[in-house]
Each structure stands twice: as structure tokens, then as C-alpha cells.
Amino acid sequence: MALPVAFFAVFFAWPVAAIVARGLNADGSWQLGRLVDVPADPAIRHVLWFTTWQALASTALTLLLALPAAYVFARLDFPGKQLLRAVVTVPFVLPTVVAGTAFLALLGRGGLLDELWGVRLDTTVWAILLAHVFFNYAVVVRTVGGLWAQLDPRQEEAARMLGASRWAAWRQITLPALAPAVAAAALMVFLFTFTSFGVVQILGGPAFSTLEVEIYRQTSEIFDLSTAAVLTLVQFAAVGAILAVHAWTVRRRESALRLVDAAVTARRPRGAGQWALLAGVLVTIALLLVLPLAVLVQRSLDAPGFLYYEALTRADGGTFLVPPIEAIGNSLRYALAATAIAVVIGGLAAAALTRRDAGRFVRGFDALLMLPLGVSAVTVGFGFLIALDEPPLDLRASWILVPLAQALVGVPFVVRTMLPVLRAVDVRLREAAAVLGASPWRVWREVDLPMVRRALLVAAGFAFAVSLGEFGATVFIARPDNPTLPVAVARLLGRPGDLNYGQAMALSTILMVVCAVALLVLERLRTDRTGEF
């Protein structure tokens, strides 16, 4: 626990505390009365209500649409499965401003729905909910599907042989085993939608505002740091309460599961029901995920030839100090470093959290690990600039600052992906190895690691994907001569002109391709039956 605790204390707790303290002490005196005045404001209370309501609705809709896909990827084998899994994950790494623009092209004035049926859904809650499903579909598919693929199907088959119906066997055998993974996925989706910024900013219009949008507005437009600090504390308290309830419910459902090699659980679809389910999932993915991505590609090719792509190789001396194409290499280097940090920190934390004799502090740290997903990225970014600008940690000019910020978001995914599998390992296997003289390190290497290797690779893929698309904190700390892909896209979208907009779409397309290739390579490693994986 020493390294994870130190990492979160220095790179999360300290920066957030520094920016909140400066906000509450903006005029040289503590404005503690704002802690009561701000939440009592009717406008702020409306923001709180909408933030909570849309997060619950988005989570429910995501689970409804993505759980069938989790089953398809876990239990069915079909051509193109690895490629499709990578495609499903690509939307998750897109900058929110890009995806919001794509949905605006589909649902707004002059969009696809408007041209075909004269229907507009922009500035409505439905546009926000659909965009949230677009982003978080992969969270449910990969988190729940990762565990589902390793559940021994013979347990459910035995229940059916004893007279249980297919529904009863699934409800009484499979669903309780999947509950921790479903809860983990639902928690991550809720936290992402609870702190939604780019989607609501673009698709919600002036009628809708989440806490994240309001914090940004108070900080950047009104310059009311005290209100922004109070809203950050409100968001912090709400997320903390949610995480505490989640940790309590998950502990009550912990159990040892029979896990098998995922490669032997997937079979070709059998019967009309499985074929219909596969077809339904493919149609959902095509309409909800592929169509917005296709819009981005089409817009990047609107100009004659490859004009927008060629413009990426030139520095204009205004928006960028270097050619925008260099953002690709920057993003890959930052993402690899952030993934390494997240896997080490998250892996150590997950290993500590699975100990049955863990004390209250260790169990409480389980909830604290998720707080970076529920705290405003604006707050974290400003906090890095304020807290890490003097010795002994003067990192404002260092390249490592960006991977550290990205790893903060990646660690929760590593922990949440690995925990259900680690907790499912029968403790008696570890005890037997220890009785036979194995050291703790050898027990981990020969008992735990073979069982969690798949989950570790899935976690690394999530961390890499999150790092590629992280925007909220990176936009404040990325150096002008070393922009990341999301930062470069946002800067181009912020400038008028068709050329800038086309370059933004071209960079977004490149980001999609890079992510898809990386995830496809990961899928091949994860499913290789002949090697170590």
C-alpha cells in the first residue's frame, strides 16, 4: 500500500487541496460562509439535480444496451470479433469535444436525422444520454465481459440439467457471480457521466449544466473561485458517498468463483436466439458507435484530395509551435508512460485490497482510488499548476507531469478491472502454496498471476486508451511545443475557418486509427493460445 498511498497523496490530494484552499481564501480571508450559501442557491440546486438525474439515466441506458454485447463478446465466437472489440473501445478514447461535434452533426440542424426525417435532438437530454452511451459502452463490455468470459459455463449447464430454466440458471448462478463486475462497470459509468463536461457543453446548450460545466463556468468565465471551490467540495462529497456505498455492497457479494481459460468458453452461435442476439448487438454497434465515427472520417475528407491531412504537416506559427502531426508521437509516448505508472500503482493497490486480513484503512482506500474519476478535471489541472511549481517537486516544466495526470485516471480502471478476478481466486490455493514452502512473491507469480494475466492486459488496454483521450487536465499542463492529440484537436476546433475544422477532423480520425491498431494488437496478445498469454 505504501506506493499507491504516496502516489495519491502527492499527485491527487495535495493539488486538489491546494486549489480548493486558494478558492476559499481568494481575498486573503477564509470565506467559510460560502459553504452554506452556494448549495442553497436555487440555480445551483437545479444543477445538482440535473447532474444526478442524467448520470443515473445514462448509467441505466448504458447497462441496458451494453450487457447483451458483454455476453456476445464473452460467450460467442464469430469472424472479426477481435477487430469489433477494438472498434467498440475507440469511442471511449475520443476527446469529448470531438464526439460532441459528431453527434451534433447527426442530431442537430442539418444533421442526418434532420435531412432524413426533419427531426432534431440537439439541445435535448436524449442527445446527452446517447452520447454518454457512445462513450461508456466499452466500459461495460470490457469490464463485465472480461469476467464473464472466464466464468465456467458448466455451472450453469449443471443447473439446467437439474431442471432449472435458462433464465433461472442465469439469474441464480451467473448473475450473482457477475455482480461485482457489473457494479464496478456501473460505478465507472456513473462517475464519468456525473462529471460530464464536453458532451453537455456542446449538446446541452444553455438549458442543461452539470457540476463540471458549472465549475468551469465559474472558474474561466465568471472568475468566481470561491463558488468553484465549494462546488468542487460538493462534487467530492457526493462521489465519496457513492463510493462508500459501492465498497460496502461489493464486500457483501465477495465470493470465490470457478474461473477457466476464456478461450474455451466462446463458441459459435447456436440456435435462432443466439443468432438474433448477435445481429441485434451488431446493429446497435453500427448505429450507436460506428455511425458517429464515420461522420468524422467523412468530414476529414471533405476537401479535395487530402488537403486537411497535408495541412497537419505544417506549423502555422499561431495555434501550434510545431506541426500538429507531432501530437501523435507525443500522445503515444505520454500514454505508454502513463500506462506503466497506472499498472504498477493499480496492480499493487488491487493486490493489497484482496487480502482477507486487510484493515479498515486498506478497505477504505478502495473507495478513495475512484475519486479521481469523480473530481473535476479542471480542478486537478489547475491544482497541478499551483501545487507542483516549487521545490522539492517543481514539475511544471517536466514532461512527466502529463503522464502523471493521465495515470490518475487510469489507476481506477486498473483496480476495478483486476479486483473482481483477484477476489475470485480461491484463497486456499495461496494457502496451499505457502504451506508447501513458496514465498509470497512465488505465490503471486505462480498462483495469482496466471489467473489475472487476462485482466491485467485488459486493465493495461483501458489505461492506455484513457491516457490517449484524456483532455480535461492535460489541456492545462501540456506544453505548447508538445501538445497531445486531444489538446491539438480542441485548439483547432477553437479557431474559425474550414481549414482548422478539417484539420481537427483529420487529427480525430488519426486518433481513432492509432487507438484501434493499439487495441487490436492488445487483443491478439490477450487471446494468443500458443504463447505466455
Side-chain angles (χ1 to χ4, degrees):
M1 288 295 296
L3 191 57
V5 169
F7 178 80
F8 274 84
V10 174
F11 299 112
F12 178 69
W14 183 19
V16 171
I19 188 65
V20 170
R22 177 165 296 193
L24 292 178
N25 194 27
D27 298 326
S29 61
W30 290 99
Q31 304 178 29
L32 299 182
R34 300 289 289 168
L35 296 174
V36 178
D37 297 340
V38 172
D41 187 338
I44 298 298
R45 292 172 65 180
H46 176 74
V47 170
L48 288 171
W49 163 248
F50 176 73
T51 301
T52 305
W53 178 87
Q54 63 84 25
L56 289 172
S58 297
T59 302
L61 187 60
T62 303
L63 290 175
L64 179 65
L65 294 177
L67 281 177
Y71 170 82
V72 165
F73 281 105
R75 293 300 196 209
L76 302 184
D77 188 21
F78 51 91
K81 179 178 177 180
Q82 294 180 18
L83 176 61
L84 189 63
R85 195 195 302 268
V87 170
V88 165
T89 310
V90 168
F92 184 72
V93 306
L94 287 180
T96 54
V97 64
V98 175
T101 304
F103 270 85
L104 195 63
L106 291 175
L107 308 176
R109 182 187 299 276
L112 184 62
L113 289 183
D114 192 15
E115 291 179 354
L116 295 179
W117 298 292
V119 176
R120 291 181 55 192
L121 293 179
D122 60 322
T123 68
T124 69
V125 72
W126 279 109
I128 296 173
L129 297 182
L130 290 175
H132 283 164
V133 176
F134 171 83
F135 274 112
N136 296 294
Y137 195 87
V139 175
V140 178
V141 170
R142 297 186 73 93
T143 303
V144 179
L147 179 60
W148 205 336
Q150 289 186 278
L151 293 181
D152 192 343
R154 291 174 295 183
Q155 298 181 68
E156 189 172 322
E157 293 170 359
R160 294 199 63 196
M161 290 181 63
L162 294 174
S165 64
R166 183 183 298 273
W167 163 249
W170 183 85
R171 179 172 54 85
Q172 298 179 16
I173 304 296
T174 304
L175 183 58
L178 289 175
V182 174
L187 175 67
M188 286 188 285
V189 173
F190 182 86
L191 289 179
F192 272 115
T193 53
F194 189 81
T195 58
S196 181
F197 173 67
V199 168
V200 179
Q201 184 83 340
I202 294 177
L203 298 178
F208 302 106
S209 179
T210 59
L211 270 175
E212 187 86 359
V213 173
E214 191 64 21
I215 290 172
Y216 176 81
R217 191 175 72 90
Q218 295 290 340
T219 302
S220 302
E221 298 178 8
I222 303 179
F223 303 106
D224 188 349
L225 292 181
S226 63
T227 299
V230 173
L231 292 179
T232 298
L233 291 176
V234 170
Q235 189 180 58
F236 197 84
V239 170
I242 295 166
L243 293 176
V245 173
H246 168 77
W248 178 75
T249 55
V250 167
R251 283 199 303 271
R252 290 174 61 89
R253 292 179 176 271
E254 287 178 4
S255 60
L257 306 177
R258 177 185 290 273
L259 301 181
V260 297
D261 184 0
V264 304
T265 63
R267 301 175 180 175
R268 300 283 293 182
R270 294 177 295 182
Q274 289 189 349
W275 281 108
L277 179 62
L278 176 59
V281 168
L282 293 178
V283 170
T284 301
I285 292 174
L287 294 178
L288 188 62
L289 305 184
V290 177
L291 187 58
L293 301 181
V295 170
L296 294 181
V297 176
Q298 182 270 327
R299 291 195 172 189
S300 73
L301 299 173
D302 271 349
F306 295 93
L307 176 63
Y308 295 147
Y309 290 91
E310 293 174 357
L312 295 176
T313 62
R314 302 189 297 267
D316 59 7
T319 305
F320 300 99
L321 301 179
V322 295
I325 198 70
E326 293 190 11
I328 300 174
N330 296 334
S331 288
L332 291 176
R333 287 192 295 270
Y334 289 146
L336 289 173
T339 301
I341 296 171
V343 168
V344 172
I345 300 298
L348 289 173
L353 292 169
T354 55
R355 290 182 60 89
R356 302 293 178 179
D357 57 347
R360 291 185 177 179
F361 172 77
V362 175
R363 293 195 300 267
F365 193 65
D366 183 10
L368 294 177
L369 287 169
M370 299 297 293
L371 284 178
L373 298 183
V375 173
S376 168
V378 175
T379 301
V380 174
F382 275 128
F384 266 53
L385 296 179
I386 292 174
L388 304 177
D389 64 341
E390 58 185 6
L393 279 177
D394 186 2
L395 301 178
R396 289 185 62 174
S398 174
W399 68 273
I400 196 64
L401 200 61
V402 173
L404 287 172
Q406 294 173 344
L408 277 175
V409 183
V411 168
F413 283 94
V414 175
V415 175
R416 293 265 71 85
T417 304
M418 293 184 63
L419 265 183
V421 178
L422 277 172
R423 284 171 170 163
V425 177
D426 194 336
V427 68
R428 292 173 296 182
L429 296 176
R430 302 189 184 105
E431 295 171 349
V435 168
L436 293 174
S439 64
W441 165 244
R442 188 174 181 184
V443 171
W444 162 256
R445 189 179 71 248
E446 298 189 9
V447 176
D448 292 84
L449 186 57
M451 302 291 288
V452 303
R453 185 177 284 121
R454 171 189 169 89
L456 183 62
L457 287 171
V458 172
F462 258 132
F464 183 80
V466 169
S467 300
L468 274 180
E470 205 286 323
F471 172 73
T474 305
V475 69
F476 295 103
I477 58 180
R479 295 168 58 90
D481 56 343
N482 285 293
T484 63
L485 277 171
V487 172
V489 170
R491 289 178 183 174
L492 288 168
L493 286 175
R495 297 187 66 185
D498 292 338
L499 181 61
N500 289 314
Y501 186 80
Q503 289 183 83
M505 296 301 101
L507 270 182
S508 299
T509 302
I510 293 174
L511 176 57
M512 287 189 292
V513 173
V514 170
C515 179
V517 170
L519 293 173
L520 187 58
V521 170
L522 177 67
E523 285 298 316
R524 294 186 65 86
L525 289 175
R526 188 175 61 82
T527 57
D528 185 2
R529 303 182 188 182
T530 62
E532 282 295 315
F533 299 104

